[in-house]
């Protein structure tokens, strides 16, 4: 079951990857923790948590094609999710938070 905290992390991860900036796993962890630091009731996450969150994004129901290369870092390959933007689907959770 996905929690509100995890949905918030997923939204942050998607936004960072879609920004076009090259992030390694460590850098993605650092920027995610930096954004989470400002939220109430959130504690720092580990590299293992980032790995689990990336797996959640790659699996159903999100089915994002997230790939990693040393030159470009993480990126989301073109993904037609029924014509919907995953970030738009998660945005209400961001607003609630």
């Amino acid at each position: 079951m996905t929690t509100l905290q995890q949905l918030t992390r997923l939204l942050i991860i998607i936004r960072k990857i879609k920004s076009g900036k090259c992030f390694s796993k460590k850098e993605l962890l650092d920027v995610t923790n930096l954004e989470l630091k400002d939220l109430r009731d959130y504690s720092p996450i580990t590299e293992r948590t980032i790995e689990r969150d990336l797996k959640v994004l790659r699996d159903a129901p999100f089915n994002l094609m997230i790939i990693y290369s040393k030159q470009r870092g993480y990126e989301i390959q073109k993904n037609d999710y029924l014509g919907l933007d995953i970030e738009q689907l998660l945005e209400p959770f961001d607003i609630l938070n």
Side-chain angles (χ1 to χ4, degrees), residues 5-88:
Q5 290 181 353
Q6 185 181 30
L7 287 172
T8 302
R9 289 194 316 266
L10 297 178
L11 184 60
I12 291 169
I13 291 168
I14 290 170
R15 286 182 176 161
K16 293 304 174 188
I17 292 174
K18 286 179 72 175
S19 73
K21 188 174 177 189
C22 180
F23 289 104
S24 67
K25 190 183 303 176
K26 173 76 169 99
E27 291 167 332
L28 190 57
L29 174 66
D30 291 343
V31 296
T32 302
N33 274 323
L34 186 62
E35 286 202 26
L36 289 174
K37 175 179 86 168
D38 296 331
L39 301 175
R40 187 171 30 130
D41 298 330
Y42 282 85
S43 55
I45 60 171
T46 64
E47 189 172 309
R48 180 66 184 124
T49 302
I50 285 287
E51 291 169 0
R52 282 193 297 264
D53 287 347
L54 288 169
K55 182 177 180 349
V56 166
L57 290 169
R58 288 180 178 124
D59 294 342
F62 299 105
N63 296 320
L64 294 176
M65 292 186 286
I66 299 174
I67 59 168
Y68 178 78
S69 72
K70 287 185 179 185
Q71 293 81 19
R72 295 189 307 259
Y74 285 98
E75 63 183 356
I76 299 174
Q77 288 188 337
K78 180 134 173 72
N79 191 26
D80 185 24
Y81 191 79
L82 304 175
L84 300 172
D85 183 1
I86 295 294
E87 190 174 356
Q88 286 178 323

